[in-house]
Amino acid sequence: ARGWRLGLDPNHRFSLDKMALRTFCRNAELDLCVQSLWDCLDTDRDGAVCMQDVTPKGALALASLRSWSHQKCGSCVAVWDLPALAQSRFQPREKLTSMKKMLTECFMEAVKVEGWPGSAKDRSWKGQAQLCSALDKFHAGMVSKEDLAWLDSWEPPLFLLEEASEEAWNELFGQLLSKYGSPLKAWFHLDMDNTNEVSWSELVAACKKIKFKGNLGAAWRYIDDDASGVISLKEFSSPDFELLMSFKEWASSHFGSVGNAFKNFDKDGSGSLTLGELRRACQRRKWVGEAKMLFDCLGSSPDK
């Protein structure tokens, strides 16, 4: 988190393009393949890397503190003058006297006293260390009013501001099933760039199409429980993921690839498979999965 603030984004734009990343790596004399690094960081393929791409847990903690601060005081800077923080500065530890800065430990204890839920829920919360790292700009164990102003200047994405809700996810998942008929068919409509991952922006676009009116941020937080900014098919629908992986491994072991398997199954050379052709091929080679379920997932109409 501190690396983002000092190294990657010193001008506080909260967004990084590939050229800026390349410049940073060159100045830091990092012998890296910048394109590979970019591909790892730009998970949603939107042409920009943001703080949550570099430090997901840190961004989540910072968003939590920012949201709480704005709800309680109107801004993060205003938190500085809350009674618990003011008292902590008047009674500094280790004879450190400064009204402009305070120890990160004292800051965390003071916002806990004032009711910030991030520290109250879990004192060992992983994101808390990243939060301290981001606010402690110069690695001196201190937080200043300037650091809170930096946090005010950030506009976190919606999904970082919501609490995870299983109810919201179930509502969204149910509407997707109602629209597309099966989880895998819904997945194909969500994964618009065919990367086998669905980003937040892809989900937002898909939900506009189906006119979803529920709490999308809370639904996303429930399914993206690692705050990675993308979801996989395994997270979206574990049964469908297991089905496809089972078929892929079986096809690869018997035919070398899924493509070769389908060519072998297509006895009449029509370029497509009926349910009967697929089922007979799977039975001959003893694939134990559900051929009908696989067929329905892949989107054809079964033969009679």
Side-chain angles (χ1 to χ4, degrees), residues 119-140:
S119 54
K121 287 180 180 178
D122 183 1
R123 292 299 299 273
S124 63
W125 193 25
K126 294 180 180 179
Q128 186 169 302
Q130 289 294 318
L131 184 148
C132 292
S133 173
L135 294 180
D136 178 14
K137 183 177 180 180
F138 298 109
H139 202 188

Side-chain angles (χ1 to χ4, degrees), residues 207-268:
C207 286
K208 286 181 180 178
K209 291 181 180 179
I210 66 172
K211 298 180 180 179
F212 179 68
K213 302 299 184 183
N215 190 332
L216 184 55
W220 176 268
R221 280 292 308 281
Y222 178 77
I223 194 68
D224 181 29
D225 57 0
D226 58 358
S228 65
V230 294
I231 58 173
S232 65
L233 177 59
K234 186 175 183 179
E235 291 172 307
F236 181 77
S237 177
S238 181
D240 286 284
F241 171 80
E242 297 297 339
L243 176 77
L244 291 182
M245 284 302 299
S246 170
F247 180 77
K248 182 178 183 295
E249 291 171 358
W250 171 83
S252 296
S253 66
H254 285 85
F255 303 99
S257 69
V258 174
N260 288 339
F262 272 87
K263 289 178 183 178
N264 183 275
F265 299 166
D266 184 19
K267 299 301 184 182
D268 58 6

Side-chain angles (χ1 to χ4, degrees), residues 89-154:
R89 293 195 300 277
F90 276 116
Q91 298 177 356
R93 298 184 182 184
E94 300 179 7
K95 299 180 180 180
L96 179 65
T97 304
S98 174
M99 295 305 296
K100 295 182 179 180
K101 298 179 180 179
M102 60 189 301
L103 295 170
T104 54
E105 181 181 355
C106 295
F107 175 82
M108 297 305 298
E109 290 180 356
V111 293
K112 173 181 177 292
V113 170
E114 290 291 348
W116 177 50
S119 54
K121 287 180 180 178
D122 183 1
R123 292 299 299 273
S124 63
W125 193 25
K126 294 180 180 179
Q128 186 169 302
Q130 289 294 318
L131 184 148
C132 292
S133 173
L135 294 180
D136 178 14
K137 183 177 180 180
F138 298 109
H139 202 188
M142 307 290 292
V143 176
S144 70
K145 204 170 184 177
E146 177 189 350
D147 298 317
L148 297 180
W150 167 79
L151 186 55
D152 270 329
S153 67
W154 177 44

